[in-house]
Amino acid sequence: MSKHIFVTGGVVSSLGKGLTAASIALLMKQRGYSVKMQKLDPYLNVDPGTMSPFQHGEVYVTVDGAETDLDLGHYERFSGVDCTQESNFTSGRIYSNVISRERQGGYLGKTVQVIPHITNEIKDAIRAMASDDVDFVITEIGGTVGDIESLPFLEAIRQFRQEVGAENCIFMHITLVPYIKAAGELKTKPSQQSVGILRTIGIIPDMLVCRCEVSLEEEHKEKLALFCNVPRHLVIEEKDVENSIYEVPLDLVKQDLDVYVLERLGMHVNRLDLTKWRKMVKTLIEHPAGEVEIAVVGKYISLVDSYKSVYESLTHAGIASQVKVKVRMVEAEDIEKLGAAKLLKGVHGILVPGGFGDRGIEGMIKAAAYARKNNIPYFGICLGMQCAVTEFARNVAKLKGANSSEFNEDSAHCVIDLMEEQKSVTEKGGTMRLGAYDCAVKSGTKAFKAYKRKKISERHRHRYEFNNEYREQLEDLGLIISGVNSELDLVEIVELKDHPWYVAGQFHPEFQSTPLKPHPLFRDFVKASLVRRK
């Protein structure tokens, strides 16, 4: 049967539970074991698809069309294993399933309660990940121990361990050991209290992973072991890394975390091969080819996590070219006020990512125009592609007032329009064009040069598309349609004919990039930016 690793967090949020879980997945996989990953989130939204990027960060889209937490991006980038609909359950989804079943008479007249009905539904979600061909299921519990909304999930995993046996299950608790600068001391009390809360629920952690700014002394580890009832060698230090999150697995290996997990679960300690990972991290730190500066012109720049996968994909592309990618974060609204030349001068490439709503759109369009007129490499993603088409229609095709019907339904030239299948949709959650779709790539284009194949598959999250009524007119003026979904005849990729590198896609390539396998379009975009720098 599958072995289960449950990752909980205490004291504060944003401790890096997702990164720790992803690092463990990488280590298990590199020891020859199969892994699946999952996150259980306590909020009541059915999924994060309708949540503001300013509050929640980016929405990560899986191959099968689930709108999920951004931690799933870390899972895929570290482990190389695709996540699915079963990889992210929220309280909203769990409760919706239970209430729907109750309305259908599925509980045969019983009083429906948190225990056992909600906890049973949570356990079913965990079991959905397990199978004969999966060695490890790693489940992260979102939120912080002590939060009232997390209690059903913690109770569910307590019950789950009783059912599958302690030999098949590990509780790993990530906790903060803060450094009080004025006193010059690390404090273990918050971690002791966090574990104390877990123990009142009936969960005793098997391992303690301590997040800290400065290294733990032996006295700290001994105190944590004593008061948290954890063996001394299973108190693991997870100190802030100096250069990149991709160093985290290497730091954990030095302390034999993966070995302890395998021994605790009765699994053979196979040989670990991190050769490629170590080489990648070395290149990332040293970046022997120097530095390129990329401007990311977005609507949600003030929260870094809003474009998490975009920034990571740029890093991956930099590794491929052995160059450090310096990101200049530019608010689209600032371009509207101050102009593109002032804010984009000197950059080696311009990237316009996805988004929704009309705020900042004119700034994105001006960024696309600046890149086109000044021969600066341009990469448009989803909304960034729509802005590129709108700019071309306005300034090259001279279609006055050209726009997207998302922003101006009364425009004389809606070069971007609502997809036909979306016109009857009224609900917001989970109703966009989501997940992976095929795309035929035209030979002789920059897209084909990047992908090196005629058929690709990319993940989508949008409602609006290129309006085919303008296709022939724009193509005649130099806009190249280099990628099309043949089944629905949807334009997926556009390029400019006489430009060093100007490519935009309706999909989200950032969801398929990893540090060991950078996405082809990101890779070639950074290469082109390096040429621009030289």
Side-chain angles (χ1 to χ4, degrees):
M1 65 185 299
S2 301
K3 304 288 186 177
H4 292 266
I5 302 172
F6 292 104
V7 180
T8 59
V11 184
V12 295
S13 59
S14 302
L15 281 180
K17 296 191 302 294
L19 285 172
T20 303
S23 297
I24 295 167
L26 167 70
L27 299 178
M28 294 299 120
K29 191 178 177 188
Q30 293 308 112
R31 285 194 182 273
Y33 289 106
S34 57
V35 180
K36 279 191 176 181
M37 301 195 70
Q38 178 184 57
K39 185 171 186 187
L40 305 180
D41 274 309
Y43 50 76
L44 284 172
N45 303 67
V46 173
D47 61 45
T50 58
M51 296 170 72
S52 167
F54 285 121
Q55 185 176 76
H56 185 265
E58 77 171 5
V59 175
Y60 191 82
V61 180
T62 61
V63 171
D64 61 351
E67 294 178 288
T68 69
D69 185 85
L70 61 83
D71 272 327
L72 272 69
H74 292 312
Y75 297 171
E76 290 197 1
R77 286 188 284 271
F78 276 68
S79 72
V81 177
D82 285 343
C83 292
T84 65
Q85 298 274 353
E86 279 68 48
S87 300
N88 195 194
F89 281 84
T90 67
S91 289
R93 185 174 171 189
I94 294 292
Y95 277 80
S96 293
N97 291 347
V98 171
I99 292 170
S100 176
R101 192 175 299 118
E102 184 274 333
R103 292 289 80 190
Q104 296 167 16
Y107 295 106
L108 301 176
K110 294 178 181 178
T111 301
V112 180
Q113 298 175 291
V114 173
I115 300 172
H117 301 101
I118 294 298
T119 50
N120 283 348
E121 189 73 19
I122 294 170
K123 289 186 289 184
D124 287 344
I126 296 168
R127 290 191 190 97
M129 300 294 288
S131 63
D132 291 340
D133 60 348
V134 177
D135 297 314
F136 290 96
V137 176
I138 302 173
T139 302
E140 176 191 350
I141 309 298
T144 307
V145 168
D147 294 342
I148 191 169
E149 60 264 33
S150 297
L151 288 174
F153 291 99
L154 296 171
E155 170 61 19
I157 64 173
R158 184 196 68 78
Q159 294 176 17
F160 190 87
R161 175 158 163 161
Q162 281 191 320
E163 293 170 10
V164 302
E167 70 277 9
N168 295 311
C169 188
I170 275 186
F171 291 138
M172 183 180 296
H173 192 53
I174 317 294
T175 184
L176 177 68
V177 180
Y179 177 70
I180 308 302
K181 190 174 181 180
E185 292 180 349
L186 283 163
K187 294 296 183 181
T188 64
K189 187 64 73 177
S191 296
Q192 295 174 43
Q193 293 175 336
S194 175
V195 172
I197 294 171
L198 270 180
R199 289 163 71 176
T200 64
I201 298 167
I203 294 174
I204 299 177
D206 298 290
M207 309 180 76
L208 209 59
V209 178
C210 303
R211 292 284 287 108
C212 51
E213 293 180 66
V214 299
S215 295
L216 299 176
E217 300 293 340
E218 187 60 33
E219 64 176 287
H220 300 123
K221 295 178 182 178
E222 289 177 355
K223 184 183 290 187
L224 286 165
L226 177 64
F227 287 101
C228 297
N229 200 30
V230 175
R232 160 63 191 82
H233 68 284
L234 296 183
V235 177
I236 306 295
E237 176 185 291
E238 194 173 51
K239 186 181 172 183
D240 293 352
V241 291
E242 292 184 15
N243 301 288
S244 166
I245 57 174
Y246 301 118
E247 295 176 80
V248 173
L250 303 180
D251 283 356
L252 296 179
V253 162
K254 292 176 183 176
Q255 300 174 76
D256 289 329
L257 173 66
D258 54 327
V259 175
Y260 297 143
V261 168
L262 291 167
E263 291 177 343
R264 166 66 179 74
L265 292 172
M267 302 289 279
H268 190 270
V269 182
N270 300 333
R271 178 178 172 270
L272 177 65
D273 185 4
L274 287 175
T275 306
K276 292 181 179 179
W277 195 268
R278 292 184 189 279
K279 183 179 178 182
M280 176 273 294
V281 170
K282 186 174 185 290
T283 301
L284 174 60
I285 294 172
E286 294 179 355
H287 46 266
E291 181 179 288
V292 294
E293 186 173 14
I294 305 294
V296 175
V297 181
K299 297 160 64 74
Y300 319 114
I301 290 295
S302 59
L303 182 66
V304 174
D305 280 351
S306 295
Y307 300 117
K308 187 66 176 176
S309 291
V310 170
Y311 297 141
E312 290 302 315
S313 298
L314 287 170
T315 298
H316 304 161
I319 294 168
S321 291
Q322 298 189 325
V323 64
K324 179 180 181 180
V325 177
K326 179 183 178 183
V327 176
R328 183 188 298 184
M329 300 179 186
V330 181
E331 285 282 1
E333 288 179 287
D334 290 343
I335 291 181
E336 293 175 353
K337 299 170 189 173
L338 303 173
K342 184 171 184 178
L343 295 176
L344 301 177
K345 184 179 180 181
V347 299
H348 307 120
I350 297 171
L351 187 152
V352 177
F356 300 92
D358 61 358
R359 183 181 58 80
I361 289 300
E362 294 303 320
M364 291 177 162
I365 291 172
K366 287 180 179 180
Y370 185 80
R372 178 179 61 81
K373 294 174 182 177
N374 293 281
N375 287 325
I376 300 171
Y378 176 87
F379 190 12
I381 295 174
C382 195
L383 180 59
M385 179 261 211
Q386 296 174 5
C387 289
V389 171
T390 301
E391 188 279 323
F392 189 88
R394 287 181 186 179
N395 300 320
V396 179
K398 305 301 180 184
L399 298 176
K400 188 176 180 181
N403 214 326
S404 166
S405 60
E406 180 182 3
F407 314 128
N408 183 6
E409 291 183 353
D410 299 323
S411 170
H413 300 288
C414 289
V415 292
I416 304 296
D417 203 3
L418 186 65
M419 299 179 69
E420 191 63 35
E421 64 195 57
Q422 290 286 323
K423 291 180 179 178
S424 60
V425 173
T426 56
E427 293 189 357
K428 297 293 185 184
T431 57
M432 285 184 277
R433 186 178 188 233
L434 295 166
Y437 289 88
D438 290 340
C439 171
V441 182
K442 185 178 180 180
S443 298
T445 61
K446 290 181 175 66
F448 184 81
K449 184 179 179 182
Y451 286 106
K452 294 181 172 57
R453 60 181 190 269
K454 292 184 177 181
K455 187 177 180 180
I456 61 169
S457 177
E458 292 284 1
R459 303 182 197 182
H460 295 67
R461 185 174 183 251
H462 66 106
R463 296 185 194 278
Y464 292 80
E465 62 168 328
F466 185 105
N467 188 342
N468 280 331
E469 290 181 14
Y470 293 90
R471 186 165 165 179
E472 185 176 342
Q473 183 179 0
L474 298 185
E475 281 187 293
D476 288 343
L477 291 168
L479 188 73
I480 299 171
I481 309 298
S482 57
V484 175
N485 178 282
S486 303
E487 184 180 347
L488 299 175
D489 195 30
L490 300 180
V491 173
E492 296 276 17
I493 311 174
V494 299
E495 304 179 8
L496 287 187
K497 192 173 184 179
D498 300 315
H499 193 284
W501 205 92
Y502 194 107
V503 180
Q506 184 57 72
F507 43 81
H508 287 268
E510 69 269 27
F511 295 149
Q512 298 201 101
S513 183
T514 73
L516 296 180
K517 192 178 180 181
H519 190 280
L521 292 181
F522 274 94
R523 182 198 64 215
D524 281 15
F525 169 58
V526 169
K527 278 184 180 178
S529 301
L530 182 57
V531 171
R532 168 78 181 185
R533 186 203 75 182
K534 291 178 179 178

